[in-house]
Amino acid sequence: MNNDELMREAIRLSIENVANGGGPFGAVIARDGEIIATGVNRVTANNDPTAHAEVSAIRSASQRLDTFNLSDCEIFTSCEPCPMCLGAIYWARLKKVYYANTKADAKAIGFDDSFIYDELALPQDKRKLPAEAMLRNEAIKAFEAWQGKEDKTEY
């Protein structure tokens, strides 16, 4: 499939998902023009705030390919990824993101992620979500164990 066809599939999934009770988002992960996995937004259907189309597609592609490294794949998403999905895309090492609707388009229909970008730019003590570090002297032991582990799989 060419890029237009892959994007049209992501768009088709997003439209179909609205009819099936989900949000208006769809994603396709492809390698060399072949669809590896798809995902749709199922946040409210599954009561899972992480069930965005891109994250669902990444999970499916990783399982299908039996790897967490999707660096030989591209993602086609019906909308510019939110901060969570963008983070997941970076962690999965996808080599390129193609998107149709923009984050401004999403904001116009009530999917506004700008507050997250605004919060991330603030010092931690100025954010709306309180965060408090604790028991670091105990937790650091896991990091020390990881650092000294000879047979770890780095990611």
Side-chain angles (χ1 to χ4, degrees):
M1 297 177 84
N2 67 37
N3 287 355
D4 286 350
E5 292 169 321
L6 292 164
M7 182 57 79
R8 284 191 180 100
E9 179 61 10
I11 293 167
R12 185 193 68 74
L13 289 167
S14 71
I15 294 167
E16 180 180 273
N17 198 50
V18 172
N20 291 331
F25 305 97
V28 169
I29 293 179
R31 181 173 59 191
D32 299 325
E34 176 191 343
I35 294 176
I36 301 299
T38 64
V40 294
N41 180 286
R42 301 303 291 168
V43 170
T44 58
N46 295 356
N47 292 315
D48 179 356
T50 68
H52 289 203
E54 298 91 336
V55 171
S56 297
I58 288 167
R59 288 175 180 159
S60 181
S62 294
Q63 288 177 350
R64 179 170 177 206
L65 298 176
D66 195 28
T67 183
F68 56 84
N69 184 341
L70 302 176
S71 60
D72 59 347
C73 297
E74 299 174 323
I75 189 165
F76 296 78
T77 181
S78 65
C79 186
E80 188 174 358
C82 75
M84 177 185 69
C85 292
L86 189 58
I89 288 165
Y90 274 104
W91 280 116
R93 298 179 179 92
L94 287 156
K95 67 180 177 181
K96 190 162 184 178
V97 178
Y98 298 90
Y99 63 90
N101 292 317
T102 68
K103 60 185 175 183
D105 297 328
K107 182 178 181 175
I109 63 163
F111 293 93
D112 185 7
D113 299 320
S114 59
F115 76 96
I116 297 174
Y117 290 109
D118 294 343
E119 285 284 296
L120 291 174
L122 295 173
Q124 200 169 44
D125 64 339
K126 302 289 187 208
R127 295 178 187 168
K128 290 182 177 91
L129 179 64
E132 179 181 341
M134 56 186 289
L135 300 178
R136 180 179 175 270
N137 59 332
E138 295 178 31
I140 200 73
K141 291 177 180 147
F143 283 12
E144 291 166 349
W146 175 259
Q147 189 172 23
K149 188 171 174 61
E150 299 280 330
D151 62 342
K152 62 187 168 202
T153 301
E154 302 223 14
Y155 59 96

